[in-house]
């Protein structure tokens, strides 16, 4: 007989939780009460939240797919968005060209690529066309049709337009200090203007062009001493001090500078403009204009008759010599201009032309009768 187990038997307590699948209807509560209890415990908020989220996602997707705008790009980089999707690239380029031309004042040639791309404008800030065009003008690179100043056919500097070129050239001539006794400055080399499309950064202002055109250089020149020259006058004419002229001519000392000889060569160092400028001096010489003699014939007076009926008077003319100087040094032949200040008066001489008839026929008849 097996040993007896003295431990008391334990039975599992009845659970307070209802069985999911009761074995018998008597073991569960009333079905209607249970259903009412479940209805009281149901919370509809999560379901409403889920429905709202689905609607929102659908709305966002609809907006993202159907609401479009145009992205404006310069060389592939977006600079703004415009609402009007009917705008074409040609229209946008024309608007940018017109605005740049208005700002610069010259014809414009855009060097960057301006394109449009249709995109969804969801969460994107769109602007009107004027605002986007202004941004494109700031971002785009362009060339402008500027005026080039040509020196001897070569490009010297570039300004915005022909008026700026003329202003710069006239300012340079107006600022030039003419050598004493000369006036009417003009450029001694050929200067013309042309046009070209250049990058905006290459265009100089009028003030910058004046500085370029007014540039100077230092050169050495030999001066041959002429009658009336002194060491001080030579230094003054070269724009130097006497000490500077002495340093340039070591063979001359303070003691010998007063004993200059005609024909002696002295080296001077002068500052002259890179673009040579010609000036003129004038001198006037008065000369007489000889009168002419005119003969009048008088048939009533014999051939031996001669009489001055009007005395002749010499006239007077002024010969104006226009002497050219280039950077203060005389170069070229003088230009001569004559001006008559007093007209000459012709001398008039009257001569007789009457010749009496000869008596040859009478002499012949007398001779025949005598024979």
């Amino acid at each position: 007989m097996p040993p007896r187990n003295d431990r008391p038997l334990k039975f599992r307590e009845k659970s307070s939780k209802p069985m999911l699948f009761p074995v018998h209807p008597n073991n569960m509560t009333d079905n209607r009460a249970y259903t009412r209890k479940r209805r009281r415990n149901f919370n509809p908020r999560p379901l409403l939240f889920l429905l709202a989220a689905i609607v929102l996602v659908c709305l966002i997707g609809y907006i993202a797919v159907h609401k479009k705008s145009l992205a404006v790009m310069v060389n592939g980089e977006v600079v703004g968005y415009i609402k009007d999707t009917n705008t074409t690239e040609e229209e946008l380029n024309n608007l940018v060209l017109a605005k740049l031309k208005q700002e610069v004042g010259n014809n414009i040639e855009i060097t960057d690529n301006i394109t449009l791309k249709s995109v969804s404008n969801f969460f994107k800030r769109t602007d009107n066309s004027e605002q986007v065009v202004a941004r494109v003008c700031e971002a785009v690179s362009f060339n402008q049709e500027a005026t080039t100043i040509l020196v001897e056919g070569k490009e010297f500097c570039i300004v915005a337009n022909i008026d700026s070129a003329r202003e710069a050239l006239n300012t340079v001539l107006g600022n030039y200090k003419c050598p004493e006794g000369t006036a009417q400055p003009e450029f001694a080399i050929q200067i013309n203007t042309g046009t070209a499309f250049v990058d905006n950064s290459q265009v100089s202002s009028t003030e910058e062009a004046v500085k370029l055109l007014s540039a100077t250089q230092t050169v050495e020149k030999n001066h041959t001493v002429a009658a009336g020259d002194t060491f001080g006058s030579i230094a003054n004419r070269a724009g130097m001090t006497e000490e500077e002229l002495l340093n340039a001519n070591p063979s001359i000392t303070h003691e010998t500078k007063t004993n200059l000889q005609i024909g002696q060569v002295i080296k001077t160092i002068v500052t002259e403009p890179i673009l040579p400028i010609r000036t003129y001096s004038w001198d006037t010489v008065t000369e007489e204009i000889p009168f002419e003699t005119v003969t009048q014939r008088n048939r009533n007076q014999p051939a031996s008759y001669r009489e001055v009926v009007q005395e002749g008077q010499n006239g007077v003319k002024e010969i104006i010599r226009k002497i050219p100087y280039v950077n203060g040094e005389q170069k070229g032949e003088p230009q001569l201009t004559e001006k008559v200040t007093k007209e000459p008066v012709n001398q008039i001489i009257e001569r007789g032309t009457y010749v009496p008839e000869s008596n040859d026929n009478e002499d012949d008849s007398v001779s025949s009768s005598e024979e």
Side-chain angles (χ1 to χ4, degrees):
M1 186 173 176
R4 183 181 176 180
N5 190 355
D6 295 334
R7 290 181 301 177
L9 295 174
K10 292 183 179 180
F11 296 94
R12 186 173 60 181
E13 295 180 356
K14 186 179 179 179
S15 175
S16 60
K17 297 181 180 179
M19 296 178 66
L20 183 61
F21 300 102
V23 177
H24 194 274
N26 294 332
N27 294 333
M28 58 180 288
T29 59
D30 184 66
N31 288 337
R32 286 179 292 181
Y34 177 75
T35 301
R36 284 194 299 269
K37 183 177 179 181
R38 290 290 301 271
R39 288 177 178 175
R40 286 195 300 267
N41 293 335
F42 175 72
N43 186 5
R45 290 183 179 178
L47 182 59
L48 294 175
F49 179 79
L50 178 60
L51 291 174
I54 293 173
V55 172
L56 181 61
V57 170
C58 293
L59 181 62
I60 292 174
Y62 177 81
I63 295 174
V65 171
H66 292 85
K67 195 171 183 180
K68 297 289 186 179
S69 63
L70 290 177
V72 181
M73 297 181 292
V74 176
N75 292 337
E77 295 185 4
V78 178
V79 296
Y81 300 89
I82 55 178
K83 300 177 183 178
D84 187 4
T85 57
N86 294 323
T87 303
T88 64
E89 291 182 357
E90 182 180 359
E91 291 173 346
L92 182 62
N93 276 271
N94 290 336
L95 289 174
V96 174
L97 279 172
K99 185 172 180 60
L100 288 174
K101 184 176 180 180
Q102 182 180 7
E103 293 176 353
V104 177
N106 287 333
N107 291 327
I108 297 299
E109 183 181 69
I110 296 177
T111 57
D112 288 337
N113 190 23
I114 303 174
T115 56
L116 295 175
K117 182 179 180 181
S118 179
V119 296
S120 171
N121 68 349
F122 191 65
F123 294 130
K124 292 183 175 65
R125 176 186 172 185
T126 57
D127 298 308
N128 57 41
S129 298
E130 292 182 1
Q131 292 173 322
V132 175
V133 167
R135 292 181 186 175
V136 173
C137 290
E138 294 176 359
V140 79
S141 298
F142 61 89
N143 293 338
Q144 63 168 301
E145 188 180 23
T147 298
T148 56
I149 298 178
L150 306 174
V151 177
E152 297 290 346
K154 297 181 180 180
E155 182 180 299
F156 190 84
C157 64
I158 304 173
V159 292
N161 48 53
I162 187 64
D163 291 335
S164 297
R166 290 171 179 168
E167 182 180 352
L169 293 171
N170 290 334
T171 301
V172 172
L173 294 177
N175 293 340
Y176 179 70
K177 185 179 179 181
C178 296
E180 185 178 357
T182 66
Q184 196 175 322
E186 63 182 19
F187 290 105
I189 55 178
Q190 185 181 16
I191 296 182
N192 297 321
T193 58
T195 58
F197 278 95
V198 297
D199 187 84
N200 192 46
S201 61
Q202 298 178 4
V203 180
S204 302
S205 65
T206 304
E207 293 75 16
E208 293 171 339
V210 169
K211 291 180 180 179
L212 292 172
L213 294 167
S214 302
T216 58
Q217 59 185 353
T218 301
V219 296
E220 293 184 359
K221 290 186 176 182
N222 292 328
H223 175 79
T224 303
V225 178
D229 282 346
T230 65
F231 197 79
S233 67
I234 296 172
N236 184 58
R237 192 178 299 115
M240 305 172 64
T241 64
E242 292 191 19
E243 196 65 30
E244 290 173 341
L245 192 58
L246 284 171
N247 293 335
N249 296 271
S251 61
I252 302 176
T253 64
H254 287 280
E255 291 74 19
T256 60
K257 70 178 183 180
T258 57
N259 297 322
L260 299 179
Q261 304 296 321
I262 295 177
Q264 183 178 351
V265 177
I266 296 179
K267 183 174 71 174
T268 61
I269 301 175
V270 299
T271 300
E272 61 184 21
I274 292 178
L275 302 181
I277 296 179
R278 183 186 294 110
T279 56
Y280 297 92
S281 67
W282 291 263
D283 60 15
T284 303
V285 177
T286 302
E287 292 185 359
E288 287 189 344
I289 305 175
F291 64 83
E292 296 181 358
T293 301
V294 178
T295 302
Q296 294 181 350
R297 296 178 180 180
N298 190 339
R299 294 180 179 181
N300 299 322
Q301 299 293 338
S304 60
Y305 175 78
R306 181 183 180 278
E307 183 177 352
V308 177
V309 297
Q310 177 176 289
E311 295 290 342
Q313 296 181 6
N314 290 333
V316 179
K317 66 179 178 180
E318 292 181 348
I319 301 177
I320 303 172
R321 298 172 66 243
K322 188 177 181 180
I323 306 171
Y325 293 80
V326 177
N327 291 341
E329 183 178 350
Q330 182 178 349
K331 287 185 178 180
E333 295 295 326
Q335 302 175 15
L336 303 180
T337 304
E338 294 186 358
K339 179 182 178 182
V340 177
T341 58
K342 181 183 178 182
E343 293 287 347
V345 177
N346 293 335
Q347 182 184 55
I348 301 176
I349 300 176
E350 189 176 69
R351 292 181 180 274
T353 60
Y354 173 73
V355 178
E357 293 182 359
S358 63
N359 295 326
D360 293 342
N361 294 334
E362 295 180 357
D363 294 341
D364 292 340
S365 62
V366 170
S367 299
S368 298
S369 60
E370 289 179 352
E371 291 178 357

